[in-house]
Amino acid sequence: MESQRSLLVIGLALVSFLLWQQWNIANAPQPVTPVAEVSPNSATSSADLQLTTADTEQPAATVTASARTIEVSTDVFNLSIDSRGGDIVALTLPDFELEKGKAEPYPLMRRLPGFEYVAQSGLIGRDGPDDSRNPRPVYSAAHTSYRMAEGATELVVPLTFNHNGLQVEKRFIFTAGQYDVRVEYLLHNQSTEVKTVQPYQHLVQSIDNGESTSMMMPIYRGAAFGTSSERYNKYAFDDMQEKNLLEATTGGWVAMLEHYFVSAWVPDQQADNQLYSLVRNGQGVIGAKGPAVNIEPGATVTLGSTFYAGPKTQDNLAKLANGLDLTVDYGFLWFISQPLFWLLTLIQSVVVNWGVAIIIITLIVKGLMYPLTKVQYESMAKMRNLKPKIDELQARYKDDRQKMGPAMMELYRKEKVNPMGGCLPMLIQMPIFLALYWVFVESVELRHAPFMLWITDLSAQDPYYVLPVLFGASMYLMQKLTPMQVTDPMQQKIMMWMPVAFSVFFLWFPSGLVLYWFVSNLISLAQMLYIYKGMEKKGLHTKKA
């Protein structure tokens, strides 16, 4: 019984600790650590990858005065495109507030003093305008701002540039209601020679920005990629600093992750691409490079890729690339979490309240787990009733351990008791509950979602700490109902203070998770009362003698 209780407490503590770390990313202070400011006009080359990144200043003579910022607004985006290179240098999400109740939209990408998070793309190779031998091209645009008209389904932002007889049109194609943007190059060879170019796309983010730490330990914020053989891989900034990524794959994708949101480049999924990473002047770069393309004289070629910037919405991400939906990181239990998330969204679509959906899915999961719960408590009761006989055997064979083992097994066989019967059901249940916890942690749908009364944001802590107190009370009642044989005074004191400790610990938990724990405890209390009543009818003791 003591080992079972210890497993439960350790499991609960571990899960709670991991959840608290993950939720800290939404609430931890986010200072900006100054780094050397990087100019979007700069370029450097890498001998192994031959790509252009914004890392070193260009000579002033190469800077064209016509460079400017082009503002674009759609129903889901407000973004800025730098005409030099056609890079996305700022992007906000108006449908997602930075803080609940405030009108400020969530800034996913931005260029600030000491911090940069941008999306770059271009054409390298022998005749590419973005090749390291050339300054970044400065595109021309008909307007300085573009806005998607009300009722329109699409917005096209064309940028043009002529490079040594190669007419380049870089198009950003926005679709109403979608966070993925089609980025295309329309290339017309106006010269008499074959032109060779190679497309690339990458994401650049300052590494030392203070946003990847919590009070206890680092919280993951960084890069990820997927290949045809490995659907999802994290590639942290520390990994970049140790070794450049270099993966050949058909299709694939690269991304930068943060809690609830992701930016990603999805290159041509039929092409043989090369995924890469670099670290330059305090910036991490992860990207994809396509195969070289030859353009005959007079020919026109279109090259395209998809850029995504927005919430981690699994259905949308899964349509873009194989494994991109795994950026909703449920860890190694994703195969359990995904069906649970599907069920949670199905329930929410009916009840139209995420808090009510949490309660209902808790009822369903606890109900399905009831047979295991019953086996667990009945096995514990049987073991408790065997305690006098076990004590007798231990006293008889206290000096002969070799005989004690077989004697104990014979006693279990004779009494038809499985000594692991109480642990195994609990071990089976733990992955399911852990997977459900990660659903609550990772689902952007719960961000700023209201429940009722004073709970206006299930992703934030209870402002009046009512749920943590109720949770502690329910845990105390469970402790009183759960039979235990702890005799050590120190252990008894620790167990007595556990409800208080967890209540304090849960003060900083998001209310959605505390709601889940509280409802789960209430259901457990009801199940325990029902199971104990049945056991007493069978003559099994349920309380400490």
Side-chain angles (χ1 to χ4, degrees), residues 56-92:
T56 58
E57 292 291 342
Q58 287 181 341
T62 67
V63 178
T64 305
S66 60
R68 58 184 177 177
T69 299
I70 302 163
E71 305 298 331
V72 181
S73 297
T74 74
D75 55 336
V76 298
F77 285 132
N78 290 317
L79 59 86
S80 300
I81 300 173
D82 191 339
S83 64
R84 180 174 288 111
D87 300 332
I88 298 175
V89 296
L91 187 149
T92 61

Side-chain angles (χ1 to χ4, degrees), residues 23-40:
W23 276 109
N24 235 333
I25 194 169
N27 300 305
Q30 301 182 354
V32 175
T33 302
V35 298
E37 186 171 359
V38 180
S39 169

Side-chain angles (χ1 to χ4, degrees), residues 78-234:
N78 290 317
L79 59 86
S80 300
I81 300 173
D82 191 339
S83 64
R84 180 174 288 111
D87 300 332
I88 298 175
V89 296
L91 187 149
T92 61
L93 306 171
D95 288 343
F96 295 87
E97 295 177 322
L98 179 60
E99 296 182 33
K100 186 172 178 65
K102 298 184 178 180
E104 184 180 0
Y106 189 87
L108 182 58
M109 311 190 84
R110 59 270 191 204
R111 177 178 281 166
L112 302 170
F115 178 75
E116 186 173 57
Y117 180 10
V118 300
Q120 298 180 330
S121 58
L123 300 170
I124 53 176
R126 188 188 68 193
D127 302 300
D130 295 278
D131 189 81
S132 59
R133 294 166 294 180
N134 306 312
R136 295 296 302 281
V138 177
Y139 288 91
S140 299
H143 308 283
T144 58
S145 65
Y146 292 80
R147 178 178 294 275
M148 182 176 287
E150 186 174 353
T153 59
E154 188 177 270
L155 173 65
V156 179
V157 178
L159 310 176
T160 58
F161 182 75
N162 196 304
H163 180 66
N164 298 331
L166 182 64
Q167 182 65 40
V168 180
E169 181 178 328
K170 186 174 185 178
R171 286 184 175 182
F172 293 84
I173 305 172
F174 301 88
T175 303
Q178 295 186 13
Y179 293 94
D180 52 288
V181 181
R182 186 67 180 167
V183 181
E184 293 183 345
Y185 284 91
L186 277 67
L187 308 173
H188 178 54
N189 187 355
Q190 299 174 324
S191 73
T192 59
E193 299 177 349
V194 176
K195 298 290 185 179
T196 302
V197 299
Q198 195 169 15
Y200 77 91
Q201 313 85 28
H202 60 220
L203 299 160
V204 182
Q205 185 173 174
S206 300
I207 294 176
D208 188 16
N209 55 62
E211 295 183 309
S212 59
T213 58
S214 69
M215 293 176 62
M216 300 298 293
M217 62 181 293
I219 298 295
Y220 185 78
R221 175 189 176 109
F225 69 93
T227 67
S228 56
S229 58
E230 296 184 71
R231 298 175 63 206
Y232 174 69
N233 300 268
K234 287 182 179 178

Side-chain angles (χ1 to χ4, degrees), residues 390-408:
I390 293 174
D391 291 343
E392 181 182 344
L393 286 177
Q394 290 176 339
R396 183 187 307 172
Y397 299 110
K398 63 179 180 180
D399 297 325
D400 193 342
R401 293 289 179 180
Q402 292 184 347
K403 291 184 179 180
M404 182 185 296
M408 294 283 284

Side-chain angles (χ1 to χ4, degrees), residues 301-438:
V301 172
T302 300
L303 304 176
S305 59
T306 299
F307 173 68
Y308 182 94
K312 294 179 182 177
T313 307
Q314 295 180 60
D315 290 343
N316 294 340
L317 295 171
K319 295 175 184 176
L320 296 178
N322 183 28
L324 188 56
D325 56 318
L326 296 180
T327 54
V328 183
D329 194 357
Y330 296 139
F332 68 97
L333 295 174
W334 61 268
F335 58 93
I336 302 176
S337 295
Q338 286 188 342
L340 289 173
F341 174 75
W342 174 84
L343 179 59
L344 181 66
T345 54
L346 178 64
I347 296 170
Q348 195 276 338
S349 67
V350 176
V351 300
V352 198
N353 185 299
W354 286 104
V356 175
I358 288 174
I359 293 173
I360 293 175
I361 198 172
T362 307
L363 285 166
I364 293 173
V365 171
K366 292 289 288 185
L368 293 175
M369 294 295 102
Y370 174 74
L372 291 175
T373 302
K374 184 178 180 182
V375 169
Q376 175 185 342
Y377 284 110
E378 286 183 345
S379 178
M380 289 162 57
K382 290 177 181 178
M383 285 294 295
R384 191 174 305 107
N385 285 315
L386 279 182
K387 191 174 186 307
K389 295 181 179 180
I390 293 174
D391 291 343
E392 181 182 344
L393 286 177
Q394 290 176 339
R396 183 187 307 172
Y397 299 110
K398 63 179 180 180
D399 297 325
D400 193 342
R401 293 289 179 180
Q402 292 184 347
K403 291 184 179 180
M404 182 185 296
M408 294 283 284
M409 295 305 297
E410 176 62 21
L411 175 64
Y412 293 148
R413 186 194 64 79
K414 183 178 179 181
E415 298 292 338
K416 298 180 180 181
V417 173
N418 182 359
M420 296 298 294
C423 295
L424 289 177
M426 182 173 57
L427 294 176
I428 294 173
Q429 294 177 66
M430 284 303 292
I432 297 174
F433 290 125
L434 183 58
L436 192 57
Y437 304 151
W438 288 119

